Amino acid sequence: MLGDKDALELISLGLKKYPDEKNFNRLFVGQMVKEKRYLEAEREILKLIEADKSVQHLSIAGNLYLQMKSYDLALKYFESAYKQEQAEDILLNIVELQYRFLGRKDDAIAHLETYASIEGCGNTICFKLLEIYGRDRNIKGLISTYKKLYKRNQNEEFAKKIVELLMYI
């Protein structure tokens, strides 16, 4: 629907007909972002957050500020969402902001390692750790992460990687 030429008109009609239905407000924010009308999107999402500080609204704000290249603000909203719900997708947004845009590699790694220690080293989190450790050529970090993956999955490929990496130490 958001790709149609008349999407904004349809969303506006929905907002008028169902003013209490927040889905139309969220669609409006998405359409404004798509049209690069960031200030209007910002105004609307901040109204939504004022009424309801849900994970969904905080994440939308985080994504909006990421689009606007306001990385510190994006991080603030994603961290607020993460405090409510420790979901991998939110954590990955935080890590990407810290690592790629804010130059806070150590914080990004600490977030991932903490999550992996508490929740277990799921593929998404551990593969993000492998990506970061690989870029940094951190052999010990790679070995440690492959060990966690092997312990969880008993996959022979992970064991082979551990052996290969041990030859570099």
Side-chain angles (χ1 to χ4, degrees):
M1 180 172 140
L2 291 180
D4 296 341
K5 292 178 187 175
D6 54 353
L8 186 56
E9 183 182 328
L10 292 171
I11 293 167
S12 297
L13 284 171
L15 279 168
K16 286 178 187 157
K17 189 168 183 175
Y18 306 102
D20 295 329
E21 179 53 57
K22 299 301 177 212
N23 283 325
F24 286 111
N25 299 86
R26 289 188 284 271
L27 285 170
F28 179 78
V29 171
Q31 186 63 32
M32 292 298 96
V33 170
K34 185 173 183 168
E35 295 178 12
K36 298 188 183 344
R37 294 166 59 181
Y38 299 127
L39 294 178
E40 291 172 74
E42 180 182 34
R43 202 169 25 252
E44 190 65 31
I45 194 61
L46 292 178
K47 281 196 299 191
L48 283 169
I49 289 170
E50 191 176 308
D52 177 15
K53 290 177 178 56
S54 69
V55 170
Q56 185 179 23
H57 293 159
L58 294 168
S59 294
I60 290 169
N63 281 307
L64 169 63
Y65 287 119
L66 181 59
Q67 289 289 314
M68 294 171 71
K69 296 182 175 41
S70 297
Y71 302 125
D72 287 315
L73 270 174
L75 181 62
K76 172 188 157 189
Y77 282 99
F78 282 126
E79 285 177 334
S80 293
Y82 191 70
K83 283 178 186 167
Q84 289 184 43
E85 181 183 315
Q86 288 74 46
E88 282 187 3
D89 60 325
I90 301 170
L91 177 60
L92 290 174
N93 283 318
I94 291 169
V95 166
E96 281 298 306
L97 281 162
Q98 290 175 326
Y99 185 74
R100 288 185 54 211
F101 300 110
L102 297 172
R104 294 171 46 189
K105 176 181 70 174
D106 292 341
D107 290 340
I109 291 170
H111 269 102
L112 291 169
E113 289 286 2
T114 300
Y115 187 92
S117 295
I118 295 168
E119 300 294 331
C121 204
N123 286 348
T124 306
I125 297 302
C126 276
F127 283 114
K128 180 52 87 175
L129 275 169
L130 290 174
E131 177 187 324
I132 292 171
Y133 287 143
R135 278 190 203 150
D136 293 347
R137 301 190 195 302
N138 180 336
I139 303 297
K140 289 182 182 178
L142 287 168
I143 291 170
S144 169
T145 306
Y146 275 118
K147 283 181 178 179
K148 290 174 191 167
L149 281 166
Y150 181 75
K151 185 177 178 183
R152 181 180 176 116
N153 301 311
Q154 301 293 307
N155 183 322
E156 190 177 313
E157 290 302 312
F158 297 143
K160 286 180 184 176
K161 287 286 188 186
I162 294 166
V163 171
E164 288 172 15
L165 289 165
L166 283 170
M167 292 191 304
Y168 289 105
I169 295 181

